[in-house]
Amino acid sequence: MTSLTTKPAAVAPAGITPEAMRATMGSFCSGVVVVTALGGRRGAEPVGFTCQSFMSLSLAPPLVSISPARSSTTWPRIREVGRFAINVLADDHAELSGQFARSGTDKFAGVGWQRSPNGSPVLDGVIAWAECSLWREYDGGDHTIVIGEVTALDHDAERSPLLYYRGSYPRADWRAS
């Protein structure tokens, strides 16, 4: 039987530094999401973090993937809850992206949100959201590859996405048709 995965090298090949990797991979334009959850205990506060490592993974079953950094202090709190919402940011949400990327602050200060069907925070004005149950986690080097099973979702076809490219947020001059 052929294995579909290969074990990563213990040491990166010469020239593949974290800086070189970031600069090169920054050439790929991505959308930006904020991952949110409500703590599992009564009266728990909402938690969340910005993530650009997001993708739709499977239609049947409905699965998505995010990859939080292993250094994240928010992901372990969300993991404990076992469910979370993926909030796809709109093109006017650059400030919101930055707010949820900062550590040690009240990320929800001044942010409007509603509860999803299963209670996860859905941020006001997002172009799409998907509520998920934690399905699996895998080692991803300095990140964790998280698979979530989608349990509820919705979108707003009138909004455009927030894009992230080479460390900034370029505006797209197009509308999805």
Side-chain angles (χ1 to χ4, degrees):
M1 174 182 240
T2 304
S3 174
L4 297 178
T5 59
T6 57
K7 196 163 186 87
V11 176
I16 310 293
T17 64
E19 296 78 19
M21 186 74 169
R22 181 183 308 271
T24 301
M25 294 302 119
S27 296
F28 179 70
C29 185
S30 70
V32 182
V33 302
V34 169
V35 180
T36 58
L38 269 182
R41 60 190 187 284
R42 191 182 223 24
E45 295 295 318
V47 295
F49 66 93
T50 299
C51 183
Q52 78 178 88
S53 297
F54 164 74
M55 69 175 185
S56 174
L57 184 63
S58 171
L59 298 176
L63 302 175
V64 296
S65 176
I66 59 171
S67 296
R70 288 206 184 273
S71 60
S72 172
T73 58
T74 306
W75 173 246
R77 296 170 66 193
I78 293 174
R79 174 194 298 123
E80 185 178 299
V81 175
R83 69 179 170 278
F84 52 92
I86 306 293
N87 295 268
V88 181
L89 299 187
D91 62 358
D92 59 352
H93 285 152
E95 186 175 309
L96 195 60
S97 173
Q99 183 170 335
F100 277 87
R102 286 190 275 287
S103 295
T105 63
D106 178 2
K107 297 178 184 183
F108 279 84
V111 176
W113 59 277
Q114 310 296 319
R115 288 179 185 257
S116 66
N118 293 311
S120 298
V122 174
L123 306 180
D124 290 350
V126 295
I127 68 168
W129 61 269
E131 184 170 44
C132 304
S133 292
L134 179 58
W135 197 65
R136 303 273 193 287
E137 287 186 287
Y138 301 96
D139 180 21
D142 60 1
H143 283 66
T144 300
I145 301 166
V146 176
I147 311 298
E149 183 172 24
V150 177
T151 58
L153 72 165
D154 201 1
H155 71 284
D156 179 351
E158 299 300 313
R159 309 271 338 249
S160 293
L162 179 65
L163 303 177
Y164 190 73
Y165 176 69
R166 293 189 174 168
S168 65
Y169 303 103
R171 300 276 290 190
D173 191 18
W174 53 269
R175 284 274 179 196
S177 50

